[in-house]
Amino acid sequence: MKSLEKIAIAKLTKQQAAEELSRLAREIARHDDAYYQEDAPTISDAEYDKLRQRNLKIEERFPSLVREDSPSLRVGAAPLEKFEKVKHRRPMLSLDNAFGDDDIVDFLNRVRRFLNLDNDVSVAVTAEPKIDGLSASLRYENGQFVQGATRGDGETGEDITQNLRTIKNIPLSLKTKGWPKTVEVRGEVYMSHDDFLHLNKWQVEQDKAPFANPRNAAAGSLRQLDARITAQRPLHFFAYAWGEVSDLPGDSQMEVLKKFSKWGFSVNPHTVRCVTVEEMISTYKSIESQRADLGYDIDGVVYKIDNLDWQRRLGYVSRSPRWAIAHKFPAEQAQTVLQDIEIQVGRTGTLTPVARLAPITVGGVVVSNATLHNQDEIERKDIRVGDTVIVQRAGDVIPQIVAVVSEKRKTDSQPYEFPDHCPVCGSKAVRSLNPKTVKLDAARRCTGALTCPAQVVEKLKHFVSRNAFDIEGLGAKQVERFYEQGLILQPADIFTLEERNGKDFEDIGEQEGWGETSVKNLFAAIEERRNISLERFIFALGIRHIGETNAGLLARTYGTFEKLYESLIQAQEEDSEARKELMNIDGVGDVVAVSMIEFFGEEHNTQAVDRLLAQVAVQPADMPELDSSVAGKTVVFTGTLERMTRSEAKATAESLGAKVSGSVSKKTDYVVAGPGAGSKLQKAKDLDVTVLTEDEWLDLIK
Ligand code: IVH
């Protein structure tokens, strides 16, 4: 009889096709192994491709015969909408770090003490490279790979089965026999240096952003919703740990690793068993000395207690096992020239200096930017443009400038002057005083809150938020879109949207996600907010440190926006009465006062406020009726309120001159308790504070 592999695909019977697919899966896996694990291919690329083609064609003829471990599945499945969550049956732990030899001695002593071991009992550990990639958990049932997940937060990860399937050195079915019925093999997905450089070159050719380092490249490749993209990325996997196992295949870490290897996994070949501290440290040194030649990033050595019974007894504290520790390598450093300092403005207005460096390789990764943190950091290290600096990269941390090489400083160099104006919008950038430390804030911030392009989207989102203008149908998402389209660039634009609609820009109703009715409703909702309470209005401006409480205080103190506005313009003068008055308001500290003064001292902001005032009518605050029954009293609301919302209850109480507090103390006059009230109610009873139901409270305030 003709051997199966010679029979043309069109002539195969179903039975023969099934047998042939099984043979091909085995044979291709064998070649994958020779190529990826042993680095010693036994057939040519062309022959290999032929096998894969044959496998694919047979599957096309007999789709029902596609095997779980089919090599064709390695090319990736159709894109997903999102990753499903996977709850880990055993948590995926992280490791405690050790930085010096002393920490290793301490680690062993802790283990000895915990296990109460006699001095003559030796403690063996495995030492293996700590791979700088991302961990994954692979679940096998009856020897078949059925599910793979990311670490996530250690408790819950994401289902990336389709992506992991594409990694050539992850077995789709376990080799040999004798594996447990269920086993979760855990390890690290990583990308080699060569592959990383290659991929980045390609990225740049394709006009795409290059990855910062191999770890990011691996992460970006693995977390692709379209696994066909992952399939094109050269990822690898090292197995080093496990999760749920129906039957542990050994008594020591080493034995289990050997089994992993037998089943078809790559286990790091630099793994060594040590029995003394000296051996551990010399292994660490040896691995460190090979670091540059390994061809992939590692950031330390992991020691694990070899005896699995001891591992079980040692267990873990919070997120890390007591039986393992990571001995980190010192951060890698290099020298380069600081070409420029660029100021970036974040969405909250913070000015962050970023160092632009002459590109330099630090630990195998090209670095061209480094964070400079803030003004103080630059001054403390006296970092100047043109300086030669020492750059350090430690693990995932963004590269940092450790120090200036002062011998290499040019004679004409000038100290760096940190800008006092926002490079994006030109507003003043200030450092406020922190009242707690009585020191200047580390961050310098742009004061052009309402108009600075770097911040305005965040400010607009705040402006429309629930406790501010609360415009139905205009949430964070819509604001962001309207901003991007240039339709709403500052708060006042919201109120002219209808007027401009269909004239200055295409009718919003024609846009995706909108229809005639929803646009009509939106305009109606905006109209409804042309009348706004003073308190909400102040809060909506999004001034730093002005939350609802302070907005309320300011509203009740000044009564009308005109009065507040006028005072703040006068308060720009250092010795003005207005400034004194502001600082003297009970409950308004210096921080709040200064922040208000800064905001109103910025012309960009007052212009935006003026434009807004042309659109909306700010209602005067309800002045507290000081003869009300609750004026001057302190009240705490707790439990569920049924006749009003919590914000409403608070606002009403405050308008009557009561102070609303979040916690019960001897000074509390009333606790208004609804269903579900707990510890606050108990405390009120303990302190003999008057407790009212919601109805009784409403009676009291009529
Ligand atoms: S063992 C129970 N071994 O390091 C301990 N982790 O900081 C589980 N890692 O999340 C980890 N190489 O991503 C272990 N040989 C190795 C490792 C390793 C890299 C990573 C892993 C883990 C992180 C902990």
Side-chain angles (χ1 to χ4, degrees), residues 35-51:
Y35 186 91
Y36 291 104
Q37 318 271 35
E38 274 118 53
D39 219 4
T42 45
I43 55 168
S44 71
D45 288 357
E47 283 170 299
Y48 176 80
D49 287 342
K50 251 178 147 167
L51 291 176

Side-chain angles (χ1 to χ4, degrees), residues 93-95 128-131 135 151 188 240 302 304 321 323:
L93 304 172
S94 61
L95 294 169
E128 61 192 287
K130 184 168 187 299
I131 317 295
S135 48
R151 176 171 185 275
E188 203 84 351
Y240 54 63
V302 183
K304 297 170 187 166
W323 46 264

Side-chain angles (χ1 to χ4, degrees), residues 92 128 131 133-138 149-151 164 170 184-190 222 236-243 257 260 265-266 304:
M92 284 184 81
E128 61 192 287
I131 317 295
L134 48 146
S135 48
S137 185
L138 317 171
T150 61
R151 176 171 185 275
L164 288 165
I170 289 181
E184 289 171 4
V185 176
R186 291 175 176 177
E188 203 84 351
V189 176
Y190 67 98
L222 196 58
H236 305 272
F237 180 81
F238 274 130
Y240 54 63
W242 54 93
L257 291 185
F260 282 177
F265 292 97
S266 297
K304 297 170 187 166

Side-chain angles (χ1 to χ4, degrees), residues 225-295:
L225 288 168
D226 187 345
R228 289 170 301 195
I229 298 177
T230 314
Q232 290 161 15
R233 303 280 173 84
L235 297 172
H236 305 272
F237 180 81
F238 274 130
Y240 54 63
W242 54 93
E244 187 179 63
V245 192
S246 55
D247 184 16
L248 208 55
D251 296 326
S252 70
Q253 182 80 25
M254 253 338 192
E255 281 173 32
V256 177
L257 291 185
K258 282 199 184 118
K259 283 279 164 49
F260 282 177
S261 183
K262 283 220 171 86
W263 298 343
F265 292 97
S266 297
V267 170
N268 194 286
H270 301 279
T271 309
V272 179
R273 187 172 183 272
C274 310
V275 277
T276 63
V277 182
E278 291 73 25
E279 268 185 86
M280 289 164 74
I281 292 167
S282 79
T283 305
Y284 171 83
K285 290 198 173 129
S286 149
I287 292 178
E288 188 181 22
S289 72
Q290 297 174 72
R291 187 177 183 189
D293 307 317
L294 289 176

Side-chain angles (χ1 to χ4, degrees), residues 43 107 140 168 225 328 338 357 362 364 401 535-536 555 693:
I43 55 168
F107 165 69
Y140 290 81
K168 304 282 194 315
L225 288 168
K328 300 290 279 266
L338 173 65
L357 306 165
V362 191
I401 292 186
E535 188 173 340
R536 274 180 186 264
T693 63

Side-chain angles (χ1 to χ4, degrees), residues 450 458-472 474-475 479 491 494-495 525-526 528-543 546-549 551 612 616 618 647:
L450 286 185
E458 278 320 286
K459 295 295 174 196
L460 284 170
K461 285 185 192 168
H462 171 80
F463 187 86
V464 299
S465 67
R466 164 119 351 141
N467 294 337
F469 266 71
D470 190 22
I471 299 172
E472 212 175 316
L474 191 62
V479 162
I494 294 171
F495 296 95
I526 293 175
E528 222 175 279
R529 290 290 182 268
R530 279 199 200 266
N531 269 307
I532 188 92
S533 75
L534 176 56
E535 188 173 340
R536 274 180 186 264
F537 186 81
I538 299 171
F539 175 65
L541 295 179
I543 304 168
I546 315 297
E548 284 174 90
T549 312
L612 184 56
V616 304
V618 186
S647 329

